[in-house]
């Protein structure tokens, strides 16, 4: 794609829209799944807790290419979910990003929950609070850590290249608009073509988007 193609707002807008949609949905789903796990593990005292925590922390460093291969196999025609025809679609990219973002959100949120002073929970129980009440109070105390985990998960998702390239295919329609091409895969594509100026511009757009999303989330979190 020549540099002047970026002057067409349709191309850039389609890539930005897909990148944000995929990553935000993936982080939303990951947060819904991760926070209950973080609270359950953080509150409970059970045999094997250290092992579960170690598994969560290990998941934070999952190689993205391996995750992409596993998701590709599961969704491919030969895989168990092949009949759903999700391979090379935004939905497949969301699944892949969820697998990568969920352990990050879970791990950071778990650390935040465990860092809350036991006296806070004891005081909540002491005034007749239920487990739900105690969980809400703990969430309030640990909110900055939880927000940090969500932002870390978003950063992991939106900056992903390997797995989304494998399951999404970096596909653009004939008119240049994106089907499964995100900002990161577009950057990789342009670098391979030798279009370094285009890649740098796309990289700057990606950086601005990450900063904006982080700023909005921190603002909503009251930090």
């Amino acid at each position: 794609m020549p540099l002047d193609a970026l002057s067409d707002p349709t191309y850039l807008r389609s890539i930005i829209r897909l990148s944000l949609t995929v990553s935000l949905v993936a982080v939303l789903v990951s947060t819904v799944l991760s926070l209950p796990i973080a609270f359950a593990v953080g509150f409970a005292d059970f045999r094997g807790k250290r092992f579960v925590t170690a598994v969560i922390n290990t998941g934070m460093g999952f190689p993205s290419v391996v995750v992409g291969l596993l998701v590709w196999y599961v969704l491919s025609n030969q895989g168990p979910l092949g009949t759903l025809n999700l391979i090379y679609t935004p939905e497949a990219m969301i699944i892949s990003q969820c697998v990568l973002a969920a352990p990050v959100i879970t791990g950071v949120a778990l650390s935040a929950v465990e860092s809350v002073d036991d006296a806070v929970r004891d005081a909540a129980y002491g005034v007749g609070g239920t487990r739900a009440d105690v969980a809400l109070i703990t969430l309030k105390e640990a909110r900055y850590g939880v927000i940090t985990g969500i932002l870390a998960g978003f950063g992991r998702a939106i900056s992903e290249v390997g797995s989304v390239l494998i399951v999404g295919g970096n596909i653009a329609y004939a008119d240049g608009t994106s089907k499964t091409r995100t900002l990161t895969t577009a950057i990789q594509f342009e670098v391979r073509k030798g279009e370094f100026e285009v890649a740098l511009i796309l990289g700057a757009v990606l950086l601005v988007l990450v900063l904006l999303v982080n700023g909005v989330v921190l603002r909503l979190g009251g930090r």
Side-chain angles (χ1 to χ4, degrees):
M1 184 190 67
L3 183 59
D4 58 7
L6 285 180
S7 61
D8 177 12
T10 304
Y11 173 78
L12 189 56
R13 191 162 51 230
S14 68
I15 293 178
I16 293 173
R17 181 168 57 247
L18 181 69
S19 299
L20 284 176
T21 300
V22 168
S23 296
L24 290 175
V25 171
V27 170
L28 177 61
V29 174
S30 298
T31 300
V32 171
L33 296 175
S34 298
L35 292 188
I37 295 175
F39 273 83
V41 176
F43 273 112
D45 188 11
F46 56 92
R47 187 176 181 180
K49 180 176 179 177
R50 292 181 64 182
F51 174 75
V52 172
T53 302
V55 170
I56 292 172
N57 291 334
T58 301
M60 295 173 69
F62 275 157
S64 62
V65 175
V66 175
V67 170
L69 287 173
L70 292 175
V71 174
W72 181 89
Y73 172 73
V74 171
L75 299 180
S76 67
N77 292 334
Q78 297 80 18
L81 299 181
T83 56
L84 298 178
N85 295 319
L86 293 177
I87 198 66
Y88 302 133
T89 65
E91 290 77 9
M93 298 160 67
I94 290 172
I95 294 172
S96 179
Q97 289 192 7
C98 279
V99 175
L100 292 168
V104 175
I105 297 173
T106 304
V108 178
L110 175 59
S111 296
V113 170
E114 291 182 330
S115 68
V116 175
D117 196 328
D118 289 338
V120 175
R121 303 178 193 177
D122 293 340
Y125 280 123
V127 296
T130 63
R131 286 185 64 88
D133 295 329
V134 175
L136 288 174
I137 292 173
T138 303
L139 176 59
K140 182 179 180 180
E141 293 295 319
R143 65 187 182 280
Y144 295 137
V146 171
I147 290 172
T148 299
I150 294 172
L151 290 177
F154 176 74
R156 173 80 151 138
I158 199 168
S159 63
E160 179 49 40
V161 181
S163 66
V164 295
L165 190 61
I166 291 173
V167 302
N170 194 32
I171 301 170
Y173 292 109
D175 62 357
T177 57
S178 171
K179 177 185 178 183
T180 59
R181 181 170 296 173
T182 64
L183 281 165
T184 52
T185 58
I187 290 170
Q188 186 262 0
F189 178 68
E190 298 302 335
V191 168
R192 291 187 62 182
K193 288 169 53 182
E195 296 284 351
F196 297 105
E197 291 182 345
V198 176
L200 287 171
I201 293 172
L202 293 173
V205 172
L206 176 61
L207 180 60
V208 169
L209 284 178
V210 172
L211 290 174
L212 285 175
V213 171
N214 285 358
V216 169
V217 173
L218 290 174
R219 178 89 175 184
L220 292 176
R223 189 169 185 173

